[in-house]
Amino acid sequence: MKPKEITVQPLLDSRHGLCPGCGAAMAMAHVLSIVTSPLPSGKTKRIRSAVIPASCWSIGSGWGGTSFIGTNLVNTPFIAGATVGEGISIMSERNGLADDELTIVWAGDGASFDIGLGLLSGAAIRNADILYVINDNQTYGNTGAQESGATPEGAKTQTSPKGKTVHQKDILEIMLAHNIPYFASLALGVTTLDDFYAKVRKAADMKGFRCLHVLSVCPPGWKCDTASAPELAQLAVETRVFPLVEVVNGHLRLTRPKREKPAEEFLKYQKRFSPVLDSPEALKEFQERVDKRWRHLSDLEKLGDAV
């Protein structure tokens, strides 16, 4: 499904409480439109609930009994998003509504890579019928941009002011270990819209545990311009810092960027990467990690079976 085939749904209210230029708000608006847009057959799915563990969206999604994302909200503690989503999907199944309703868990990287990883693993291994979205802004954004498992090595945060000194956690490899039906990474870049829309639509129309890993530019945490989200998302893909992949039943496919650029082109617009940019050795090591990761994914693609 391509962007021009989507009927835009005015689900995300402009009163949402997220920051100016927030990539998560853009991602939410697109995903809501995609999953509720009619299929060629005319059939649509209703979002039964959006389950939101503690994150920026806990504040931005609504207050005082009002939902700013146009659907039922279920706010949970950091750890509980996947399990609560699984419970809601089970009730849909018992009520005979599973074919018409979709349960979305919209979780940050803190709730997915770190604090909620155990229950995420449980839902994945049980193949819970949920669409699990990792809104990855690479920090604990809601509490001031502290280091998370998703923070790239070398990036500054509130808790790593001289730059992160440990490796970035690999959520793709973790999800592959669970043999889930579908995993995809997505970015709302200038030339990646078709890829974004096709993956979200495919995931929404499948059954079982589907995981979408969405890169969300966070201007306050990334120390970048508030209008830079589409360009930075695009650069993340073009520099291979954030590879676009799709894994269907264990078979991995890479989406290769139309243009390829060195990692520095992505880093230089973000003050959080000053420890890397100020050190030729650190910049070289960062590039080597990006290249090594890309070679690994290319090898998995050639194998044909990533699990």
Side-chain angles (χ1 to χ4, degrees):
M1 177 169 281
K2 297 181 181 295
K4 65 182 179 181
E5 299 171 331
I6 295 293
T7 302
V8 176
Q9 309 291 326
L11 296 174
L12 182 61
D13 194 301
S14 61
R15 292 176 293 166
H16 71 77
L18 274 66
C19 300
C22 177
M26 300 176 199
M28 178 71 83
H30 281 271
V31 170
L32 291 175
S33 286
I34 296 166
V35 301
T36 57
S37 183
L39 294 168
S41 64
K43 185 177 180 180
T44 60
K45 278 194 175 184
R46 182 175 78 93
I47 302 173
R48 181 175 178 86
S49 295
V51 180
I52 299 178
S55 65
C56 295
W57 271 114
S58 300
I59 306 301
S61 58
W63 50 80
T66 300
S67 168
F68 294 156
I69 63 174
T71 187
N72 182 47
L73 290 174
V74 181
N75 287 288
T76 77
F78 254 127
I79 195 172
T83 299
V84 171
E86 182 177 7
I88 293 171
S89 72
I90 289 172
M91 291 308 299
S92 286
E93 180 73 34
R94 290 180 178 176
N95 291 328
L97 300 172
D99 291 336
D100 301 314
E101 294 185 340
L102 177 68
T103 299
I104 297 179
V105 179
W106 193 283
D109 50 281
S112 304
F113 284 62
D114 301 332
I115 296 172
L117 181 59
L119 295 186
L120 168 59
S121 175
I125 204 67
R126 290 189 293 272
N127 197 29
D129 187 22
I130 57 176
L131 178 60
Y132 191 99
V133 180
I134 302 174
N135 176 65
D136 184 3
N137 60 19
Q138 300 186 333
T139 66
Y140 285 88
N142 190 41
T143 51
Q146 295 87 5
E147 178 185 310
S148 83
T151 304
E153 187 173 350
K156 292 196 299 185
T157 70
Q158 292 287 351
T159 49
S160 51
K162 295 182 179 181
K164 188 181 179 184
T165 58
V166 297
H167 291 304
Q168 185 181 38
K169 195 177 292 185
D170 194 335
I171 198 67
L172 167 61
E173 298 286 355
I174 293 171
M175 289 292 99
L176 285 179
H178 292 77
N179 197 26
I180 60 175
Y182 191 78
F183 176 95
S185 55
L186 309 87
L188 271 173
V190 178
T191 66
T192 59
L193 277 176
D194 285 355
D195 179 84
F196 190 101
Y197 272 60
K199 288 173 177 175
V200 175
R201 183 77 261 182
K202 184 182 291 187
D205 294 336
M206 294 176 70
K207 301 287 287 183
F209 192 91
R210 299 90 83 200
C211 183
L212 297 177
H213 180 199
V214 181
L215 181 68
S216 289
V217 176
C218 174
W222 291 21
K223 310 301 180 189
C224 62
D225 188 86
T226 56
S228 63
E231 289 77 14
L232 278 178
Q234 182 71 27
L235 283 170
V237 174
E238 291 179 343
T239 58
R240 298 176 170 178
V241 171
F242 189 79
L244 296 183
V245 304
E246 181 179 56
V247 185
V248 182
N249 294 320
H251 298 277
L252 184 143
R253 176 181 66 86
L254 267 170
T255 303
R256 285 169 171 75
K258 295 181 179 179
R259 293 179 294 276
E260 296 179 8
K261 300 178 180 180
E264 184 178 3
E265 291 299 308
F266 171 68
L267 306 181
K268 68 182 182 181
Y269 297 105
Q270 305 166 63
K271 293 181 181 179
R272 63 173 179 154
F273 282 114
S274 59
V276 178
L277 294 167
D278 292 343
S279 167
E281 182 179 354
L283 181 58
K284 179 183 177 182
E285 291 175 352
F286 192 100
Q287 183 68 64
E288 287 174 348
R289 288 193 296 273
V290 170
D291 294 342
K292 181 180 179 181
R293 175 67 175 150
W294 185 265
R295 289 194 299 271
H296 173 67
L297 293 173
S298 297
D299 289 343
L300 289 179
E301 183 180 40
K302 291 175 184 175
L303 287 172
D305 194 341
V307 178

